[in-house]
């Protein structure tokens, strides 16, 4: 178990606001029933941060430690604000058959009904399960198992915040048993293609299209970037007055179009108006399929950090987007 901090590790010094102070050993000691799981659990404290302050370096450290470990499975424990991104980054890097589970908590340990201990116990059960092998990284939360490539945080406060809008959960933990709804599917891991990645010194901003938004915002965000991810209206659209500027940016760098709706794919051949998907593809934009903007950003960032050429990046986006 690798601990990075987050709500699950927070306590209060003033009786009001909380900060990450508890260690992994503190948290494990407070999990009832952990001794009944057929697994020996070791805690490693990598950081103690709120998850918005985590960096690529934290996740690459976790990845390298796990890759060199002889453990049978792994759990990443961190804050939920960036949990979906951390899990997906691990999913892209982790080409090992051993389970890699990410979890955390929505209620800190000072609150009634704190969910951290239950999530830790369920995560250990999944990481120790033979059925979880060959599935890449996943998120275990509120006794549900979500594939990292599909999951998103859907609510700011609910303990059932994690959802997979396009697929639903991959499985559940019930009565102490791990149950998956289907056999392992295609893996996301990039494998040997990114084996040389040790740092992530790339800049891939995300811009969400907004009603009436000026093209100046688009040009400012793209300035100095290595690639650009757009979260467009509906099926992957931008204002018509953006189209020419988007095309000019696509001549300089990969531009990936996703949808800001969080469910359903960016389409490829339905709408032909200026700024819609047919027009944008003619200008060099790549449609991201079922990838949301945050996942598209991580996929492109990893590939850029590995020195992948543009043609291969765009092919990978289409493949991982899983649509057409």
């Amino acid at each position: 178990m690798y601990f990075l901090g987050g709500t699950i590790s927070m306590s209060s010094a003033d009786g009001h606001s909380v900060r990450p102070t508890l260690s992994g050993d503190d948290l494990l000691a407070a999990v009832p029933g952990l001794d009944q799981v057929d697994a020996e659990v070791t805690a490693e404290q990598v950081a103690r941060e709120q998850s918005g302050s985590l960096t690529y370096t934290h996740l690459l450290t976790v990845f390298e430690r796990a890759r060199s470990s002889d453990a049978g499975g792994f759990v990443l424990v961190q804050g939920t604000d960036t949990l979906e991104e951390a899990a997906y980054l691990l999913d892209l890097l982790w080409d090992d058959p051993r389970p890699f589970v990410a979890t955390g908590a929505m209620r800190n340990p000072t609150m009634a009904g704190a969910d951290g201990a239950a999530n830790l116990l369920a995560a250990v059960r999944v990481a120790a399960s033979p059925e979880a092998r060959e599935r890449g990284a996943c998120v275990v939360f509120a006794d549900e198992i979500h594939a990292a490539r599909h999951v998103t945080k859907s609510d700011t406060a609910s303990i059932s915040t994690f959802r997979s809008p396009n697929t639903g959960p991959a499985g559940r933990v019930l009565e102490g048993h791990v149950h998956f709804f289907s056999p392992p599917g295609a893996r996301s891991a990039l494998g040997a293609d990114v084996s040389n990645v040790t740092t992530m010194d790339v800049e891939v901003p995300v811009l969400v299209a907004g009603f009436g938004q000026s093209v100046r915002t688009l040009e400012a965000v793209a300035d100095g970037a290595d690639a650009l991810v757009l979260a467009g209206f509906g099926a992957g659209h931008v204002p018509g007055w953006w189209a020419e500027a988007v095309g000019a940016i696509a001549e300089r760098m990969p531009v990936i179009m996703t949808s800001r709706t969080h469910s359903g794919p960016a389409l490829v051949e339905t709408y032909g108006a200026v700024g819609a998907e047919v027009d944008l593809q003619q200008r060099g934009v790549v449609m991201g399929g079922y990838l949301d903007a945050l996942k598209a950003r991580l996929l492109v960032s990893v590939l850029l950090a590995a020195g992948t050429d543009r043609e291969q990046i765009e092919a990978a986006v289409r493949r991982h987007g899983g649509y057409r």
Side-chain angles (χ1 to χ4, degrees), residues 114-150:
D115 55 329
N119 288 338
L120 287 176
L121 181 60
V124 170
R125 291 191 188 280
V126 174
S129 171
E131 286 74 24
R133 292 178 61 85
E134 300 286 1
R135 293 179 183 270
C138 66
V139 170
V140 172
F141 222 90
D143 287 337
E144 291 185 339
I145 308 167
H146 293 268
R149 60 189 174 276
H150 298 306

Side-chain angles (χ1 to χ4, degrees), residues 3-300:
F3 290 85
L4 298 180
T7 295
I8 195 171
S9 67
M10 291 188 178
S11 64
S12 175
D14 59 11
H16 300 287
S17 61
V18 292
R19 297 182 178 182
T21 59
L22 302 176
S23 70
D25 288 326
D26 293 333
L27 295 172
L28 288 178
V31 179
L34 186 60
D35 58 346
Q36 299 174 24
V37 181
D38 186 18
E40 179 183 348
V41 182
T42 301
E44 291 193 25
Q45 195 75 43
V46 179
R48 196 176 284 121
E49 300 278 358
Q50 59 182 6
S51 67
S53 296
L54 295 175
T55 66
Y56 288 129
T57 299
H58 290 113
L59 268 297
L60 290 172
T61 298
V62 168
F63 169 70
E64 289 297 338
R65 290 190 186 184
R67 186 163 64 171
S68 61
S69 169
D70 61 358
F74 305 92
V75 179
L76 169 68
V77 184
Q78 67 158 72
T80 60
D81 284 354
T82 61
L83 184 61
E84 65 185 276
E85 291 164 277
Y88 186 62
L89 178 57
L90 287 173
D91 198 48
L92 292 173
L93 298 173
W94 191 247
D95 59 353
D96 193 295
R98 294 175 291 176
F100 214 132
V101 179
T103 195
M106 290 298 290
R107 294 177 180 166
N108 71 75
T110 72
M111 299 175 69
D115 55 329
N119 288 338
L120 287 176
L121 181 60
V124 170
R125 291 191 188 280
V126 174
S129 171
E131 286 74 24
R133 292 178 61 85
E134 300 286 1
R135 293 179 183 270
C138 66
V139 170
V140 172
F141 222 90
D143 287 337
E144 291 185 339
I145 308 167
H146 293 268
R149 60 189 174 276
H150 298 306
V151 73
T152 189
K153 184 176 181 179
S154 66
D155 192 278
T156 61
S158 171
I159 60 173
S160 57
T161 182
F162 285 98
R163 293 280 184 263
S164 297
N166 289 304
T167 64
R172 298 181 70 182
V173 181
L174 293 169
E175 297 183 320
H177 296 279
V178 176
H179 176 65
F180 285 94
F181 301 143
S182 60
R187 295 282 301 275
S188 296
L190 297 168
D193 293 340
V194 297
S195 60
N196 62 328
V197 172
T198 57
T199 61
M200 296 275 288
D201 186 20
V202 295
E203 189 64 43
V204 183
V206 171
L207 178 60
V208 181
F211 181 82
Q213 196 168 32
S214 165
V215 74
R216 294 193 303 273
T217 304
L218 169 69
E219 293 170 336
V221 169
D223 185 37
D226 299 301
L228 176 65
V229 175
L230 297 172
F233 304 123
H237 308 152
V238 298
W241 58 85
W242 278 25
E244 185 175 346
V246 169
I249 294 167
E251 291 179 359
R252 310 195 309 264
M253 68 184 76
V255 176
I256 313 304
M257 175 59 72
T258 66
S259 173
R260 69 178 194 174
T261 62
H262 302 296
S263 182
L267 299 181
V268 296
E269 63 177 11
T270 298
Y271 296 97
V274 175
E277 70 268 14
V278 174
D279 173 66
L280 292 174
Q281 288 174 100
Q282 292 171 348
R283 298 176 189 270
V285 174
V286 177
M287 307 307 285
Y290 284 100
L291 287 170
D292 64 29
L294 297 179
K295 292 181 177 64
R297 172 182 174 268
L298 288 170
L299 173 61
V300 173

